[in-house]
Amino acid sequence: QVQLVESGGGLVQAGGSLRLSCAVSGRTFSNYAMGWFRQAPGKEREFVAAISRSGVGTYYAASAKGRFTISRDNAKNTAYLQMDPLQPEDTADYYCAARFGSSPAASGNEYDYWGQGTQVTVSS
C-alpha cells in the first residue's frame, strides 16, 4: 500500500505563489510516476501536471503550463508542485496521485493511489 500526504496549501492573493508537497511512503517512490490534479467546488476533477518516475518527463495542462512546475526528489520520496503566479481560478482542492510505472499520465483513471488533498484559495 502506498500512502500520499499533501501539504503546502493555503490562502494567497492573486499573483502570489505556493509550493505543494506530496510525501509518499509504503513503496519505492522511484517506481511511480506522479501527478497533480485539482477539483474546484461544483466542478469535476481536472489534471494539472504529471512527472515521470525519473523526473525527466513532465506534462502540463494548458492552464498550468508556464505558471506551474512539477518536480520530484526521489531521495526524499516527495513530489512538488510550484505554482506562480496564482490566479483566482486556481482555487481548488489539490490532490497528488501515484501511478506505477514510468510514464506520466493525464487521466486520473491511470493512477493507483491518491492523497487526501490540500486546499488552495486564491483571493482577487
Side-chain angles (χ1 to χ4, degrees), residues 25-38:
S25 61
R27 288 288 188 273
T28 303
F29 179 63
S30 59
N31 285 342
Y32 292 83
M34 298 296 297
W36 285 96
F37 294 78
R38 68 186 183 186

Side-chain angles (χ1 to χ4, degrees), residues 5-29:
V5 179
E6 301 95 337
S7 62
L11 172 64
V12 64
Q13 288 187 332
S17 63
L18 285 173
R19 187 177 80 156
L20 306 183
S21 298
C22 176
V24 179
S25 61
R27 288 288 188 273
T28 303
F29 179 63

Side-chain angles (χ1 to χ4, degrees), residues 12-19 38 48 62-69 81-91 94 120-123:
V12 64
Q13 288 187 332
S17 63
L18 285 173
R19 187 177 80 156
R38 68 186 183 186
V48 176
S63 60
K65 196 171 293 184
R67 298 189 301 124
F68 294 1
T69 303
L81 184 68
Q82 178 70 41
M83 305 184 292
D84 184 11
L86 283 159
Q87 301 167 355
E89 52 265 38
D90 296 318
T91 294
Y94 283 72
V120 172
T121 303
V122 185
S123 63

Side-chain angles (χ1 to χ4, degrees), residues 72-116:
R72 65 189 294 158
D73 186 335
N74 285 351
K76 295 183 178 180
N77 293 348
T78 303
Y80 304 96
L81 184 68
Q82 178 70 41
M83 305 184 292
D84 184 11
L86 283 159
Q87 301 167 355
E89 52 265 38
D90 296 318
T91 294
D93 292 326
Y94 283 72
Y95 300 87
C96 65
R99 175 178 188 245
F100 186 79
S102 61
S103 301
S107 171
N109 294 333
E110 301 283 347
Y111 289 83
D112 303 301
Y113 302 99
W114 291 81
Q116 293 300 304

Side-chain angles (χ1 to χ4, degrees), residues 38-80:
R38 68 186 183 186
Q39 186 167 19
K43 295 186 177 181
E44 293 187 353
R45 182 181 65 196
E46 65 174 0
F47 169 72
V48 176
I51 189 167
S52 65
R53 63 183 184 181
S54 69
V56 172
T58 57
Y59 182 40
Y60 295 92
S63 60
K65 196 171 293 184
R67 298 189 301 124
F68 294 1
T69 303
I70 189 171
S71 61
R72 65 189 294 158
D73 186 335
N74 285 351
K76 295 183 178 180
N77 293 348
T78 303
Y80 304 96

